[in-house]
């Protein structure tokens, strides 16, 4: 795991200040979507190999939600953006 995450508000910070909250590519279904769609949204996750976007919460810092694009094999970080700035909510 990368030892530093560059928070878009705080700058480079140790990874221990963050909490990983999962896949940032999952879209919330419509309120009237099927039970199967909601089951998949809540419970089913892929275990991707390679580049992947995840929600990270800067728990011990600014407490902002970030979208971190990282490689799940090498742990290289390619991009960090504020989730709200991307129109995403966690
Ligand atoms: Zn921060």
């Amino acid at each position: 795991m990368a030892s530093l995450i560059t928070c878009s508000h705080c700058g480079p910070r140790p990874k221990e200040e963050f909490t990983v909250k999962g896949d940032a590519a999952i879209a919330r279904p419509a309120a009237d979507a099927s039970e199967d769609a909601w089951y998949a949204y809540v419970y089913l996750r892929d275990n991707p190999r390679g580049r992947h976007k995840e929600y990270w919460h800067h728990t011990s810092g600014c407490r902002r939600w970030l979208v971190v694009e990282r490689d799940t094999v090498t742990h290289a970080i390619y991009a960090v953006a504020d989730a709200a700035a991307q129109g995403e909510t966690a």
Side-chain angles (χ1 to χ4, degrees), residues 1-89:
M1 179 70 64
S3 59
L4 291 176
I5 306 293
T6 302
C7 175
S8 48
H9 302 282
C10 306
R13 307 296 301 174
K15 68 175 174 44
E16 290 79 10
E17 291 187 3
F18 296 84
T19 305
V20 182
K21 292 294 186 174
D23 193 341
I26 296 175
R28 184 183 177 94
D32 60 350
S34 70
E35 188 173 314
D36 287 345
W38 278 102
Y39 179 84
Y41 173 72
V42 173
Y43 295 110
L44 301 181
R45 296 293 179 266
D46 291 330
N47 189 15
R49 179 179 173 88
R51 253 172 127 138
H52 186 62
K53 287 185 177 180
E54 300 168 320
Y55 286 116
W56 287 57
H57 185 248
H58 198 177
T59 310
S60 299
C62 62
R63 304 191 59 80
R64 298 287 299 183
W65 285 96
L66 307 173
V67 175
V68 176
E69 184 175 357
R70 73 177 180 96
D71 191 305
T72 59
V73 177
T74 66
H75 306 295
I77 294 179
Y78 299 105
V80 178
D82 187 278
Q86 293 190 349
E88 300 176 30
T89 57

